[in-house]
């Protein structure tokens, strides 16, 4: 009788203990650290250099074992070249919440000597929400368009390289010196609701460029530039593009893509009747079927454009460049 009674008492005690653990975990979720760039000396007046403040906020977020939000409040924040390195990070999620504008120096030469203005290198689990990036590239465009021989190539506005699990939501990029957003050698990237704007005569200002990257999704974005709205370079796989409003610009360009496909349909241009895809350009594309028997195919729905070089498999919705016939 004694053992039986104690056994009956153990069950409710165990349940009470488990309930206590559950309630404690819900009451104490993983904390999220918030860091405001103003705390690190950034000034929202558009005249004081806030580069060191942004880098200091990144270093603090990078070292945190908990998810961290870097807050960029309203205002105009002047920064030079920013390089956010991920090699010493804990890989806890880091998000930028940008309510204001981040601007480059008016003198295009300050950042033009670099390949990029803002770079994330080797980062994981980084998100950007909102905000404006203004590279103030119009003076460099004028230099190039006037035939100046001493004009620098210019800097890309935003570059993610060798990175994983990247999200960009609601960001606006204007007046880039060169490409606006570049995804290079990165995996699992989501870009949604971005706005890209540059004058129609701005040279080499591609909206979004993807190279050597896997699983990239671009959705619900408006892109108007002096060059390609979206360009896809070699080594890129599983790239999805939906709901894009393009113009001015040269449309969507696929170039220098070589390799194999494990499905019979190697190229699929599938667009809606209400919003068909136009001005697609493909060149130097050669995709063969990975299986021994059969050949790769292309599928087109409500899409048209130009094949300005060799395109394999044959893509019927792309007109052949007359110079190649």
């Amino acid at each position: 009788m004694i053992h039986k009674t104690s056994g009956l008492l153990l069950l409710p005690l165990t349940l009470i203990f488990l309930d206590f653990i559950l309630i404690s975990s819900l009451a104490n979720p993983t904390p999220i650290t918030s860091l405001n760039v103003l705390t690190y000396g950034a000034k929202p007046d558009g005249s004081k250099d806030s580069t060191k403040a942004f880098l200091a906020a990144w270093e603090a977020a990078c070292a945190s074992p908990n998810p961290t939000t870097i807050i960029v409040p309203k205002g105009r924040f002047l920064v030079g070249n920013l390089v956010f390195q991920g090699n010493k990070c804990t890989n806890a999620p880091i998000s930028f919440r940008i309510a204001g504008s981040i601007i480059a120096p008016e003198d295009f030469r300050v950042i033009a000597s670099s390949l990029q203005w803002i770079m994330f290198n080797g980062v994981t689990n980084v998100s950007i929400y909102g905000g404006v990036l203004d590279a103030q590239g119009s003076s460099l465009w004028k230099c190039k368009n006037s035939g100046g021989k001493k004009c620098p190539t210019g800097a890309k506005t935003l570059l993610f390289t060798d990175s994983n699990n990247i999200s960009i939501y609601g960001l606006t990029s204007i007046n880039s010196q060169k490409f606006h957003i570049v995804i290079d050698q990165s995996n699992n990237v989501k870009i949604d609701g971005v706005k890209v704007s540059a004058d129609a005569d701005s040279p080499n200002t591609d909206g979004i460029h993807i190279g050597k990257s896997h699983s990239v999704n671009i959705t619900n974005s408006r892109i108007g530039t002096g060059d390609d709205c979206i360009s896809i370079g070699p080594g890129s796989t599983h790239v999805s593009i939906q709901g894009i409003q393009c113009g001015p610009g040269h449309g969507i360009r696929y170039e220098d893509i070589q390799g194999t496909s494990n499905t019979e349909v190697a190229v699929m241009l599938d667009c809606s009747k209400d919003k068909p895809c136009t001005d697609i350009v493909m060149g130097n594309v050669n995709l063969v079927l990975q299986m021994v028997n059969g050949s790769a195919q292309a599928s087109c729905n409500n899409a048209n454009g130009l094949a300005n070089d060799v395109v394999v498999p044959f893509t019927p919705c792309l007109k052949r460049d007359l110079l190649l016939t």
Side-chain angles (χ1 to χ4, degrees):
M1 291 294 294
I2 295 176
H3 291 290
K4 186 174 181 181
T5 304
S6 62
L8 290 172
L9 289 173
L10 279 175
L11 180 59
L13 286 174
T14 302
L15 290 175
I16 292 171
F17 180 69
L18 290 174
D19 286 344
F20 174 77
I21 294 176
L22 179 60
I23 293 171
S24 298
S25 64
L26 292 175
N28 298 286
T30 303
I32 298 177
T33 304
S34 293
L35 306 174
N36 194 312
V37 294
L38 297 179
T39 305
Y40 296 87
K43 299 297 182 183
D45 58 7
S47 60
K48 183 178 179 180
D49 189 350
S50 297
T51 304
K52 291 183 179 179
F54 274 73
L55 292 175
W58 170 261
E59 289 181 6
C62 184
S64 174
N66 300 321
T68 302
T69 298
I70 297 176
I71 298 172
V72 182
K74 292 181 179 180
R76 289 170 61 81
F77 295 87
L78 174 67
V79 300
N81 293 105
L82 287 173
V83 179
F84 299 115
Q85 296 284 2
N87 57 335
K88 295 182 180 179
C89 291
T90 63
N91 290 336
I94 299 176
S95 63
F96 284 78
R97 298 276 179 174
I98 307 173
S101 298
I102 301 173
I103 63 173
E106 288 186 11
D107 184 351
F108 64 80
R109 292 169 294 185
V110 175
I111 66 169
S113 58
S114 301
L115 295 177
Q116 58 282 318
W117 174 30
I118 302 171
M119 178 173 74
F120 290 84
N121 182 26
V123 303
T124 300
N125 300 323
V126 170
S127 303
I128 298 176
Y129 295 89
V132 177
L133 303 180
D134 184 357
Q136 302 204 86
S138 59
S139 56
L140 178 57
W141 308 339
K142 292 178 182 177
C143 179
K144 291 181 177 181
N145 290 333
S146 64
K149 295 182 180 180
K150 295 184 179 180
C151 305
T153 301
K156 306 173 186 72
T157 289
L158 177 64
L159 167 66
F160 279 92
T161 184
D162 193 26
S163 298
N164 298 287
N165 304 332
I166 305 302
S167 299
I168 304 173
Y169 298 110
L171 177 69
T172 297
S173 174
I174 61 176
N175 304 321
S176 183
Q177 290 189 354
K178 201 178 179 186
F179 295 178
H180 286 258
I181 300 172
V182 177
I183 307 299
D184 176 63
Q185 301 184 72
S186 298
N187 302 296
N188 191 24
V189 179
K190 296 178 181 179
I191 301 174
D192 181 72
V194 304
K195 297 179 181 179
V196 174
S197 178
D199 289 355
D201 62 350
S202 58
N204 304 119
T205 54
D206 288 25
I208 301 173
H209 177 77
I210 303 164
K212 300 179 181 178
S213 296
H214 175 76
S215 187
V216 179
N217 292 279
I218 307 171
T219 54
N220 308 316
S221 298
R222 296 174 58 186
I223 304 173
T225 72
D227 212 300
D228 299 323
C229 289
I230 299 174
S231 57
I232 302 172
S236 298
T237 59
H238 291 86
V239 177
S240 175
I241 303 170
Q242 298 181 21
I244 305 300
Q245 181 178 332
C246 173
H250 299 169
I252 299 174
R253 180 182 297 267
Y254 301 76
E255 285 190 322
D256 299 319
I257 300 175
Q258 317 288 323
T260 61
S261 173
N262 59 7
T263 61
E264 186 175 354
V265 179
V267 175
M268 178 179 291
L269 304 177
D270 190 8
C271 305
S272 68
K273 290 182 179 180
D274 294 337
K275 296 181 179 180
C277 299
T278 60
D279 298 326
I280 297 170
V281 178
M282 296 180 68
N284 195 23
V285 175
N286 188 3
L287 298 174
V288 297
L289 194 60
Q290 195 171 31
M291 295 179 290
V292 176
N293 298 321
S295 58
Q297 305 293 322
S299 173
C300 293
N301 287 306
N302 306 302
N304 66 73
L306 180 68
N308 65 1
D309 205 331
V310 175
V311 176
V312 177
F314 170 72
T315 307
C317 56
L318 302 182
K319 293 182 179 179
R320 186 75 167 168
D321 192 330
L322 294 176
L323 295 177
L324 299 176
T325 59

